[in-house]
Amino acid sequence: MKESANSSSARPRPWTRLPKLALTFAICVLAATSCATGVPATRDPPPTSRPPPPPPPPLQANQRATCPPLPLPESDRALVLLANHDQVTALYHGCAAQNEALRLAADEWMTTAWRWYCGAVQSMGLAADGCREK
């Protein structure tokens, strides 16, 4: 009989395993639900300041050049004054053509760069009140 008494006490009792199973179950539930909780991702708020204006248009070297100084006549003789007048007229027309090329380049920049810039600012959701499109 001693053997049967020892064998029955060596068997684990079902209620002694219950706390271990409950603890394991609780840990698994907590681990599974910990991924579902947390702070949701948020977007950065748009900047409160206005966006900077676009950069100035790139200019060619001849458009940056200043007009040359006008030559002075060497004497007051009619032929010398007439030749000087021709030189001054040629310089004037060259400078006028240079200024017209600069004006056309600035107009082209206004129509393309501002349109692109304002579209980009509006697509980012920023205030585009200062945008001007031509």
Side-chain angles (χ1 to χ4, degrees):
M1 270 225 22
K2 285 185 173 183
E3 288 180 21
S4 64
N6 285 341
S7 63
S8 64
S9 65
R11 249 186 300 151
R13 299 199 170 122
W15 62 85
T16 58
R17 291 181 40 199
L18 187 61
K20 291 179 184 176
L21 289 175
L23 182 63
T24 305
F25 179 73
I27 290 173
C28 290
V29 168
L30 287 175
T33 59
S34 67
C35 295
T37 60
V39 179
T42 58
R43 284 182 49 194
D44 288 339
T48 56
S49 63
R50 298 182 66 108
L59 299 176
Q60 298 174 2
N62 64 350
Q63 292 172 334
R64 291 178 184 260
T66 59
C67 293
L70 298 177
L72 297 175
E74 295 176 6
S75 71
D76 59 351
R77 294 182 52 212
L79 289 176
V80 174
L81 290 175
L82 190 58
N84 182 289
H85 177 71
D86 289 342
Q87 290 174 348
V88 168
T89 304
L91 288 174
Y92 168 78
H93 288 292
C95 191
Q98 174 185 333
N99 286 339
E100 180 65 15
L102 180 60
R103 187 190 66 78
L104 291 175
D107 284 347
E108 180 182 348
W109 177 78
M110 290 291 284
T111 58
T112 57
W114 275 107
R115 185 176 298 133
W116 176 85
Y117 178 76
C118 289
V121 167
Q122 289 171 351
S123 70
M124 291 186 327
L126 300 174
D129 299 337
C131 282
R132 53 187 170 175
E133 295 181 26
K134 284 193 169 190

